[in-house]
Amino acid sequence: AGEAVFGTVFCTTAMNALAMNTSMTPQKERLLFETYPRLFANRNKRCSPMERGMLCGDGWFEILRELSVRLEPLVVAHENLDVDGAPCPRAIEVREKAGELLFVMGPEALVTSEMRDAITDAENEAVHTCELCGKPGRYKAIRDSYQTLCEPHMRKTMARR
């Protein structure tokens, strides 16, 4: 268990997300990447967690779209201040972790309070939204893990275990 050695081994949570079929569909993921290219500039960068894509279900797509609407102009504004190729804040990792949305930006020193507030808003909204379908959901322990699911998906998941 533990974090990934990027580009080589997935961490346990990422493998669980893939096994549970909670990776975002390629069409929705591509829409986010193409619509917000500066925010997700690390998506093709080797050894970056973003290389694996969005490791969360389609139910959080709208939350991530709204977050991206808030973050993209902040990233672009930072790029416009860029001097001598200094790094810019980018999305580093987007995934489900223990039933909650984890959205990481970096380098940490460049992430502004406005960016942090937007991320916190999205993460708070996700714990009330079904990760699979986007309907209102509950954050709940289901046997050996935590998930945020609507009642129908909660029943379906519990029946499988």
Side-chain angles (χ1 to χ4, degrees), residues 22-23 49 55 68 73 76 86 98-99 102 109 114-115 131 133 135 141 160:
T22 56
S23 290
L55 296 178
S68 299
V76 170
L102 176 68
E114 191 174 358
M115 291 173 184
E131 181 188 357
C133 69
K135 292 181 181 168
R160 279 187 289 191

Side-chain angles (χ1 to χ4, degrees), residues 59-60 128-138 148-150 152-153:
W60 289 346
H128 302 289
T129 305
C130 178
E131 181 188 357
L132 301 177
C133 69
K135 292 181 181 168
R138 287 186 309 138
T148 302
L149 300 170
C150 62
H153 282 118

Side-chain angles (χ1 to χ4, degrees), residues 67-78:
L67 174 59
S68 299
V69 164
R70 290 175 70 181
L71 293 176
E72 180 83 358
L74 300 174
V75 169
V76 170
H78 192 281

Side-chain angles (χ1 to χ4, degrees), residues 13-26:
T13 303
M15 288 189 295
N16 288 343
L18 293 171
M20 292 175 14
N21 196 27
T22 56
S23 290
M24 188 168 285
T25 57

Side-chain angles (χ1 to χ4, degrees), residues 42-68:
N42 286 337
R43 70 189 174 282
N44 296 318
K45 190 175 182 183
R46 295 257 324 132
C47 300
S48 166
M50 281 308 305
E51 180 183 37
R52 297 187 314 244
M54 306 279 185
L55 296 178
C56 63
D58 283 350
W60 289 346
F61 172 80
E62 274 304 313
I63 294 169
L64 290 169
R65 188 193 61 72
E66 291 170 14
L67 174 59
S68 299

